[in-house]
Amino acid sequence: MNMSFTYDALPIRVRFGRGTVAEVATEVARLGAQRALVLTTPQQAGEGERIAALLGAVSAGVFPGAVMHTPVEVTEMALAALRESGADCVVSVGGGSTTGLGKALALRTGVKQLVIPTTYAGSEMTPILGETQDGRKTTLRSLNVLPEAVIYDVDLTVGLPAALSATSGVNAIAHAVEALYARDRNPVISLMAEDSIRSLSSALPILVHEPGNMEARGMALYGAWLAGCCLGAVGMALHHKLCHTLGGTFNLPHAETHTIVLSHAVAYNAPAAPEAMAAITRALGAPDAAQGIFDLVRALGAPRALADIGMPADGIERAADLAVESPYWNPRPITREAIRDLIARAHAGERPVAAVPAEEAA
């Protein structure tokens, strides 16, 4: 078999298990840090206080102001709190919003990061930061924002509501799916991606009905970790470009946007990525990748229409314009009319369609 690829392993320490959050002070000490500021969203301030108590004398307090899409104005407030606290480390507790804030602080100050995920976002494993300013979301990739350490504690995900478990989990599946047809894909990451999709698609339907099922919780968090590894190691394509555009422009909830768009992006790329589609169908145990994802989302009771999560109908044309303005690399050429139709179907909650535009069929 003729193979040629590049694989860069990211320098990040991972602790995975149950009850591992008890080691938070030890992990901060391993980083050589003296004082740690805990970051959370307003909703998870209580959890942040609990982590601060576990840190003991190392704690520099809690900043509970993280919000979606990492707006720069929130980062400025957190910067002031960081400087005032004298902390040389941040402990980011929560999902992608909190992790993003920690990364934004690391980018500006070089502060060390320990992340304790409570969702399946996966951004804790990546050197990627998305920030929003004046309604536009921009993304950068730099080892300067890669967290030094991550504590995965399955017990901390038990409180994740069934609906959020579903959308956060499909968001993770999206990372794995795009890794399978990324321009810089490699066999190691493809193995992780397929196992991630298999683990999450098996665990999520159980969690919707049994939120306290610890075996399923563990499997979902394991799948999310693998998905984060994929997202951190290889590039992104059409799906992530669309979600960044839609989320940043219309302030849509991140995980729900990914959940709705994924099957449509997969259908769009199916003709150009047969090996990836075969891996997805194997992992899902479904005859078709795009339809299998759509059916999984439906079975989870998750949103299927962008209209239902706040995207206005008159935003479809604008979104299509933005999506083709500076597109990510994609296995299939991106044409405005095809993308406009894709967004319209996702807006209406229709089934994905794998039609090939006339200009490509010719």
Side-chain angles (χ1 to χ4, degrees):
M1 183 164 55
N2 182 23
M3 269 196 185
S4 178
F5 63 88
T6 300
Y7 172 58
D8 280 322
L10 295 173
I12 185 168
R13 173 179 166 84
V14 172
R15 288 289 310 276
F16 190 103
R18 292 189 61 181
T20 44
V21 73
E23 303 294 322
V24 62
T26 303
E27 291 298 325
V28 167
R30 280 185 63 96
L31 296 177
Q34 306 300 314
R35 286 175 65 74
L37 178 66
V38 178
L39 308 176
T40 72
T41 60
Q43 295 83 1
Q44 289 191 290
E47 188 66 40
E49 295 291 348
R50 189 171 79 84
I51 302 297
L54 289 171
L55 285 167
V58 181
S59 171
V62 180
F63 177 83
V67 296
M68 281 195 312
H69 306 307
T70 321
V72 293
E73 55 269 26
V74 173
T75 300
E76 293 296 328
M77 289 190 287
L79 268 173
L82 181 67
R83 293 191 183 107
E84 188 178 336
S85 73
D88 55 355
C89 172
V90 292
V91 177
S92 304
V93 183
S97 298
T98 309
T99 303
L101 178 59
K103 289 179 173 182
L105 294 174
L107 180 69
R108 290 160 173 78
T109 68
V111 69
K112 291 185 176 178
Q113 303 172 75
L114 169 62
V115 184
I116 305 176
T118 59
T119 73
Y120 307 132
S123 54
E124 66 278 356
M125 294 302 299
T126 78
I128 302 165
L129 169 63
E131 297 186 279
T132 304
Q133 186 167 20
D134 301 325
R136 296 290 296 268
K137 190 166 187 175
T138 56
T139 305
L140 65 85
R141 178 182 282 262
S142 167
L143 286 178
N144 292 332
V145 304
L146 180 73
E148 282 76 15
V150 178
I151 295 176
Y152 287 100
D153 190 333
V154 178
D155 293 344
L156 294 186
T157 66
V158 174
L160 196 61
L164 189 52
S165 296
T167 55
S168 184
V170 178
N171 179 27
I173 289 174
H175 305 331
V177 162
E178 291 231 301
L180 288 166
Y181 52 65
R183 176 167 46 182
D184 52 352
R185 65 191 178 276
N186 65 69
V188 177
I189 293 301
S190 292
L191 285 170
M192 288 185 170
E194 187 170 340
D195 202 30
S196 171
I197 298 166
R198 183 180 298 109
S199 300
L200 282 159
S201 63
S202 300
L204 294 176
I206 298 172
L207 292 183
V208 168
H209 299 290
E210 302 174 45
N213 186 310
M214 295 310 296
E215 186 176 348
R217 283 279 173 206
M219 187 64 72
L221 193 59
Y222 166 76
W225 166 62
L226 290 176
C229 292
C230 295
L231 180 65
V234 297
M236 296 175 283
L238 172 65
H239 170 79
H240 281 82
K241 174 63 180 183
L242 286 175
C243 291
H244 291 161
T245 298
L246 294 165
T249 304
F250 304 106
N251 197 35
L252 304 180
H254 180 86
E256 287 86 344
T257 305
H258 277 268
T259 299
I260 293 165
V261 171
L262 181 58
S263 64
H264 299 278
V266 168
Y268 186 92
N269 281 329
E275 287 184 13
M277 298 304 131
I280 296 166
T281 57
R282 281 195 304 269
L284 292 173
D288 179 85
Q291 303 301 329
I293 291 168
F294 185 86
D295 288 336
L296 173 64
V297 171
R298 184 174 63 176
L300 295 175
R304 300 198 298 276
L306 292 171
D308 293 342
I309 62 167
M311 180 182 169
D314 62 8
I316 293 173
E317 300 297 337
R318 183 182 174 202
D321 289 339
L322 291 171
V324 299
E325 200 175 81
S326 54
Y328 297 172
W329 179 89
N330 194 62
R332 178 178 166 189
I334 291 175
T335 62
R336 189 197 177 281
E337 283 312 302
I339 295 304
R340 186 241 168 246
D341 291 346
L342 183 164
I343 295 169
R345 281 192 294 273
H347 184 269
E350 297 170 2
R351 274 195 169 273
V353 175
V356 179
E359 65 269 22
E360 288 182 49

